[in-house]
Amino acid sequence: MKLYGTPLSRALRSIWAAEEVGVDYELVPTSFLQDSKTPEYLAINPNGRIPALVDGDLELFESMAINLYLAKTYGGKLYPSDPRDEARAIQWTIWGMTELEPHLIPMVLHKVLLPEDQRDPAVVVNAEAAVQRPLRVLDGHVSDREYLLGGDFTIADLNVAGALSSANFASFDFSKFENVARWMSRCVGRPSFTRARGK
């Protein structure tokens, strides 16, 4: 199995998933600039983005799809066996992509990644304001449970925490969301996350 990407990108969440399920894989260092635009890579992911996964004759792009596949194929209890919990795991995965990431990406870009002269502080202010609503939803949900689906860490937690980890990168203040902060600490405190970041 080959996983293309770098921990300093969205590929981190898929590296984390591979580490969590304990599958043997080769991490192929691939940046989101030149490396992901080569003809060889575009044959795997025509979008020219990272990550991508090759497992036998299966080629996958989109980090969350990769993670759902890894969890369902190799992850045991990481992937829910109950169809209702499976639906909830997919629900939270999509929620992370649609409710959190549209605000987190511009926050990280304009607070950390872009050169100083290209950063717009107003973008950061707007992004931090917009992310409050979904964080209130998450904070309420984890107020009376350890993890998103209950007492066990699942792919739902990994996917949402993987998306939200970029907020840590941007030094986002979670003090208004104590339940989220505790839940997030449990998720990223897993040895698999530490190993993924060190790749």
Side-chain angles (χ1 to χ4, degrees):
M1 182 187 299
K2 291 185 178 183
L3 182 56
Y4 296 78
T6 169
L8 297 175
S9 72
R10 286 181 181 173
L12 173 63
R13 65 191 66 157
S14 294
I15 299 168
W16 183 10
E19 290 292 332
E20 181 70 33
V21 301
V23 68
D24 288 331
Y25 71 99
E26 175 190 352
L27 180 61
V28 182
T30 308
S31 73
F32 45 79
L33 297 173
Q34 296 90 346
D35 295 343
S36 60
K37 307 301 185 287
T38 65
E40 295 78 14
Y41 185 77
L42 290 171
I44 298 167
N45 184 352
N47 300 290
R49 300 186 185 277
I50 53 175
L53 178 81
V54 176
D55 187 13
D57 61 357
L58 174 67
E59 296 177 350
L60 271 181
F61 52 79
E62 291 299 332
S63 60
M64 296 304 196
I66 290 168
N67 286 10
L68 291 169
Y69 167 76
L70 289 172
K72 189 167 187 175
T73 308
Y74 302 105
K77 290 184 179 180
L78 191 65
Y79 196 90
S81 57
D82 183 322
R84 294 169 296 182
D85 282 340
E86 178 185 38
R88 292 183 186 105
I90 295 169
Q91 165 196 274
W92 281 109
T93 296
I94 294 170
W95 181 88
M97 298 294 292
T98 59
E99 298 293 330
L100 289 177
E101 279 215 320
H103 312 304
L104 296 174
I105 291 171
M107 185 192 306
V108 172
L109 279 173
H110 287 270
K111 203 169 181 182
V112 181
L113 296 180
L114 289 174
E116 289 278 355
D117 62 340
Q118 295 178 28
R119 297 179 189 178
D120 183 347
V123 171
V124 176
V125 170
N126 292 337
E128 289 182 344
V131 83
Q132 302 291 310
R133 183 184 57 79
L135 284 177
R136 283 195 297 271
V137 171
L138 182 58
D139 199 69
H141 186 75
V142 295
S143 64
D144 60 350
R145 69 197 81 202
E146 282 194 59
Y147 295 107
L148 292 176
L149 303 188
D152 296 320
F153 180 81
T154 69
I155 193 61
D157 299 286
L158 192 152
N159 284 345
V160 176
L164 196 53
S165 66
S166 61
N168 287 338
F169 187 54
S171 302
F172 179 80
D173 181 7
F174 282 98
S175 60
K176 294 181 183 176
F177 308 101
E178 293 181 0
N179 300 318
V180 171
R182 283 192 295 270
W183 165 82
M184 189 70 176
S185 180
R186 283 193 292 270
C187 292
V188 300
R190 298 178 73 81
S192 56
F193 185 77
T194 303
R195 292 194 303 270
R197 289 187 67 186
K199 289 289 183 179

